[in-house]
Amino acid sequence: MLFAEDEYEKRKFLIDVPEGVRIPSLGDETQLSVELYGWPMGVSGAITWRGVWAALPLILQRAEFLQGAKVLELGAGCGLLANTAAVLGAHSTATDGNEEEIPLLQKNAFSFADGLMLGGSLSATHLEWGQHAAERSGLPSKGFDLIVGSEIVYIPDCIPALVESLCFFLADDGEAIIANTAVATRTDQSAARELLCECLEAKGLTFNMDMPPRSPPPPDEDNW
């Protein structure tokens, strides 16, 4: 299935800076502005998945670390997480296993503006999960300081390959942030979470599991 580029919609996101986080280039501003294109989805017309909003505060909390860091987003969709990290000075790569999403990611990469003048950059590429796909990707092994993703732990059959990708791309002293609020209809959150933990443990990865606070999805995407 192919879509015309004129079906993309451009959105501006105003992302609250967490209390105690200081981004010097923002001055007295308390919100970070990020603009990108996306596909309106469903009744809400949102262009991002809900889990993005659980991951964004964690990314902003690492603002000082992100300047100059290498960031990889898996299952990026429109790539808001990678874009936000790039605005904060990271060299971000947004990826998706669905080839139909790549023109959108490339458009957002081409349109990226380093508004805070922190030296960030954004690129995009197709990437399937798993060890063999990672080896063929051309992306560097152990080459990313931070890996991010939202709504990528909802199909059990894909979780082992996801963890293989984390192991391949994550630097030895790196960190991954994954936020998940969705799950396939043939399973449930606890089963998907249990399988993820089993796969991470099998690969010798250290992890923490936190439950996000309950909240409704954003009524719109102009402000969160």
Side-chain angles (χ1 to χ4, degrees):
M1 185 180 297
L2 299 176
F3 298 89
E5 264 198 21
D6 58 9
E7 293 185 32
Y8 298 144
E9 287 191 11
K10 190 173 185 178
R11 302 283 176 85
K12 180 178 181 179
F13 297 89
L14 298 176
I15 305 166
D16 290 340
V17 177
E19 186 176 352
V21 173
R22 184 172 179 271
I23 303 173
S25 301
L26 277 182
D28 295 330
E29 297 291 329
T30 59
Q31 292 180 315
L32 182 72
S33 176
V34 178
E35 294 187 11
L36 75 168
Y37 294 89
W39 301 112
M41 298 181 293
V43 176
S44 70
I47 68 170
T48 64
W49 300 113
R50 185 182 179 191
V52 164
W53 301 100
L56 281 170
L58 301 177
I59 291 175
L60 265 67
Q61 287 171 4
R62 291 154 176 77
E64 184 175 352
F65 157 82
L66 284 174
Q67 192 164 358
K70 302 290 177 54
V71 176
L72 178 69
E73 183 174 3
L74 300 175
C78 66
L80 179 56
L81 299 182
N83 199 307
T84 300
V87 169
L88 294 171
H91 301 295
S92 296
T93 302
T95 70
D96 204 286
N98 183 352
E99 291 185 349
E100 294 175 359
E101 298 285 1
I102 304 309
L104 171 59
L105 289 176
Q106 291 173 336
K107 182 176 181 66
N108 281 325
F110 179 78
S111 304
F112 172 74
D114 183 17
L116 297 183
M117 304 296 291
L118 294 176
S121 63
L122 181 63
S123 62
T125 190
H126 176 248
L127 177 66
E128 296 180 352
W129 296 345
Q131 177 76 21
H132 297 307
E135 292 170 350
R136 298 192 304 267
S137 69
L139 296 174
S141 174
K142 306 295 183 182
F144 294 92
D145 305 297
L146 178 65
I147 296 178
V148 295
S150 65
E151 313 299 22
I152 59 175
V153 191
Y154 66 94
I155 300 177
D157 291 347
C158 297
I159 292 175
L162 167 63
V163 173
E164 288 181 4
S165 296
L166 291 175
C167 287
F168 184 90
F169 292 116
L170 192 61
D172 289 335
D173 58 349
E175 181 181 23
I177 297 172
I178 297 174
N180 206 75
T181 68
V183 69
T185 56
R186 64 178 181 272
T187 186
D188 56 41
Q189 285 280 13
S190 60
R193 186 165 55 246
E194 182 178 350
L195 178 57
L196 175 64
C197 292
E198 289 175 358
C199 291
L200 292 171
E201 290 173 349
K203 293 293 186 181
L205 296 176
T206 302
F207 61 91
N208 294 316
M209 194 75 65
D210 294 321
M211 297 297 290
R214 287 188 174 276
S215 62
D220 60 62
E221 293 179 320
D222 294 328
N223 196 357
W224 175 255

